[in-house]
Amino acid sequence: RLKYGEIFIWHIVPQYAEVSPTHKHEGRGFLLFRLINMREPLIMGFLTGGFDDPELAAVSEVIQFQNWNEPTQVHLALTGDPTEMIAMWVSKDAYTPKVRWGTESGQYIHAAEADSSSYSASDMCGSPAIDFGYRDPGLLHKAKLSGLQPGLTYYYTCGDQQFGWSQEFSFRAALAADPKTTVRVSAFGDMGSGQVDDSVQSTDGQQQPSLNTTRLLDKYLPETDLVLHIGDISYANGYSSVWEEFFDQVQSVASSVPYMVCIGNHERDYPNTNGLFNVTDSAGECGVPYENRFAMPTPAPDQPWYGFDYGSAHFVLMSTEHFFDPTSPQYQFLDAHLKSVDRSRTPWLIFAGHRPMYVDSTGDKHSDSQQPVAKLLRTYLEPLLHEYKVDLALWGHHHLYHRSCPVYQEVCLDQGTVHVLVAMGGHDLSDNVESSNPAWLEYLDYKHWGMTRLTMNSTTLLFEYIHNDDGMVHDKLVLTK
């Protein structure tokens, strides 16, 4: 944080002056910055001395946005009822925030008032989230659109009569459970956000390859019904402003299709917060920004597990950061929920969680390392996946892509579940794989970022792995019923 007069600078995204070719020999240069509306005035500062001993040599005039109350960070979520959709957005102030919608562009014949909330530094649990990483998240608005006709396209805008409205967005209402319906899903984990102006982020919140993944999501948006982001979402790591950058980056996607998430270690884990792992991976956030910024259809606060129907598929998302042994509330939910799935209505059953149940990794030194956690998941939850005939399980955390055979108890068999690790969304890739491939491993790639695509109908599930550099399919799996 820098202080200049009465202005506090909570977010520093620098560029080096030497990037400009005229800087050294002419004493002047040109740099391009992209600024997003974080509801407070900005200044540009020129610093010397580097990061170790910075000195503020000059500052710009105060930079103002035209409308501090511009609705930003618009994103959608399912409720589990195909006649409903949740819209969320952020603004500085509000009088009567609401969402307006209709079936024709510009014709908003329906409206629903939003519930507004926020969170403070005192709601979180450690540094930097509670001190130098914190900035006011603004007002977080959540409105439920109801009475929707499944599969019909709607146009909507959100905001406030007094403070202004957002641009118009559109979405297709959720598909009701139906074995004859085709469902198209984009799935990945561990993405984060990047700087489109090549600024240097000083926290772990800079994942430049995520920009290509987001562009790939945009490319497939006309052929996408929903998105699954399998944990480690923004990598804010206690710096609130990174959440703002993440939502700005994905808004074109998340405002058009439901953006469904599950919680990861970088959203939840912190010592003494009733989690499974007493590590500091969330940098003091302890799940608070995650829970306030996403409206998933979970059973209760800090119980981030849920399931929903969508066309010919049923999805179940768990939290690998909470207890999942048979005495836990999460296990009991998963057991009852998987048992209740009507496979005549949703023939495909997809399971997801952040830390993987099957992983090609050398990580085994600590209780939260990949192999010990994978063993716990196989001990407690793999029997449920086998009993209820889960077709496909998606995982994140270990930053690479790999796919298993249909497997149960580490043995390939026709009645097993295919496990796919989709943690190549944007964060630095991991190459700590075993010297010889596990017997269950069918495909491995730890050198490329990208995303996966699922296309399901009553008889066929097509799974594709796409690199975000060339946009080509590099792995493919077809399951049939």
Side-chain angles (χ1 to χ4, degrees), residues 83-153:
T83 68
E84 298 175 339
M85 187 73 74
I86 295 289
M88 295 192 73
W89 70 96
V90 178
S91 69
K92 181 178 176 66
D93 302 301
Y95 179 65
T96 53
K98 62 180 64 176
V99 60
R100 307 175 302 172
W101 74 94
T103 56
E104 296 183 22
S105 177
Q107 303 297 313
Y108 312 122
I109 62 174
H110 306 285
E113 291 191 6
D115 294 325
S116 302
S117 64
S118 190
Y119 59 90
S120 66
S122 62
D123 294 320
M124 294 180 283
C125 54
S127 183
I130 63 173
D131 41 52
F132 59 86
Y134 177 79
R135 71 181 314 278
D136 189 332
L139 288 176
L140 310 175
H141 309 292
K142 178 177 69 174
K144 182 188 294 184
L145 293 73
S146 58
L148 306 177
Q149 183 176 330
L152 190 63
T153 296

Side-chain angles (χ1 to χ4, degrees), residues 3-54:
K3 182 179 179 181
Y4 178 69
E6 296 301 316
I7 300 173
F8 286 86
I9 308 302
W10 295 90
H11 180 62
I12 302 175
V13 183
Q15 291 191 39
Y16 293 103
E18 65 184 14
V19 171
S20 176
T22 61
H23 164 62
K24 288 185 177 180
H25 65 273
E26 293 185 17
R28 61 180 180 174
F30 178 83
L31 298 173
L32 182 66
F33 285 86
R34 180 177 186 269
L35 306 179
I36 65 174
N37 187 348
M38 294 191 188
R39 304 168 304 282
E40 296 290 346
L42 304 168
I43 61 170
M44 307 295 288
F46 184 82
L47 291 89
T48 62
F51 285 113
D52 294 333
D53 190 24

Side-chain angles (χ1 to χ4, degrees), residues 196-469:
V196 297
D197 56 14
D198 295 322
S199 298
V200 180
Q201 189 96 330
S202 57
T203 73
D204 193 31
Q206 179 164 315
Q207 294 80 37
Q208 291 300 97
S210 71
L211 296 172
N212 277 345
T213 301
T214 306
R215 294 181 188 112
L216 200 57
L217 289 167
D218 275 319
K219 173 185 174 182
Y220 281 100
L221 191 56
E223 305 165 23
T224 302
D225 296 307
L226 63 95
V227 167
L228 295 179
H229 191 152
I230 315 299
D232 283 7
I233 296 167
S234 72
Y235 289 99
N237 289 350
Y239 290 88
S240 302
S241 56
V242 178
W243 278 109
E244 313 238 4
E245 293 176 332
F246 170 81
F247 280 108
D248 179 71
Q249 180 172 314
V250 302
Q251 179 176 267
S252 62
V253 176
S255 62
S256 302
V257 296
Y259 201 95
M260 307 303 288
V261 296
C262 72
I263 202 164
N265 55 303
H266 282 279
E267 285 79 53
R268 180 60 177 81
D269 292 357
Y270 205 77
N272 305 312
T273 57
N274 199 34
L276 182 55
F277 306 107
N278 281 322
V279 293
T280 60
D281 294 355
S282 79
E285 290 190 355
C286 55
V288 172
Y290 172 90
E291 192 154 289
N292 280 273
R293 290 176 178 275
F294 292 105
M296 299 297 104
T298 59
D302 200 31
Q303 292 188 4
W305 42 84
Y306 62 97
F308 61 92
D309 292 330
Y310 202 101
S312 54
H314 187 88
F315 299 86
V316 180
L317 285 79
M318 71 165 294
S319 169
T320 57
E321 313 313 303
H322 290 73
F323 295 95
F324 49 78
D325 62 274
T327 65
S328 67
Q330 178 168 206
Y331 180 95
Q332 293 164 19
F333 171 89
L334 293 173
D335 188 14
H337 191 87
L338 288 166
K339 184 178 182 179
S340 71
V341 177
D342 185 349
R343 303 300 286 272
S344 67
R345 299 174 68 235
T346 55
W348 297 105
L349 182 53
I350 313 299
F351 192 89
H354 183 60
R355 297 176 187 258
M357 184 178 290
Y358 281 86
V359 60
D360 183 1
S361 169
T362 58
D364 62 359
K365 293 182 179 180
H366 308 287
S367 61
D368 68 320
S369 295
Q370 287 138 357
Q371 292 297 357
V373 176
K375 184 177 180 180
L376 277 179
L377 287 162
R378 292 196 299 271
T379 298
Y380 294 137
L381 297 184
E382 189 175 24
L384 292 182
L385 271 61
H386 189 66
E387 177 180 358
Y388 298 117
K389 297 180 174 57
V390 170
D391 299 291
L392 183 70
L394 303 175
W395 310 97
H397 192 59
H398 189 36
H399 298 164
L400 48 73
Y401 170 85
H402 69 52
R403 175 176 56 80
S404 79
C405 61
V407 61
Y408 179 56
Q409 295 182 343
E410 302 182 75
V411 177
C412 296
L413 73 169
D414 291 342
Q415 294 77 32
T417 298
V418 176
H419 294 258
V420 188
L421 209 159
V422 295
M424 64 298 150
H427 203 285
D428 293 345
L429 295 170
S430 303
D431 60 2
N432 58 317
V433 296
E434 298 173 83
S435 57
S436 58
N437 291 342
W440 47 263
L441 186 64
E442 290 199 342
Y443 189 97
L444 169 66
D445 181 0
Y446 55 83
K447 296 183 178 181
H448 296 90
W449 292 275
M451 56 174 257
T452 62
R453 296 270 302 164
L454 293 78
T455 305
M456 295 162 281
N457 59 33
S458 60
T459 60
T460 305
L461 185 156
L462 170 63
F463 185 90
E464 298 171 298
Y465 164 49
I466 306 168
H467 287 182
N468 73 10
D469 51 4

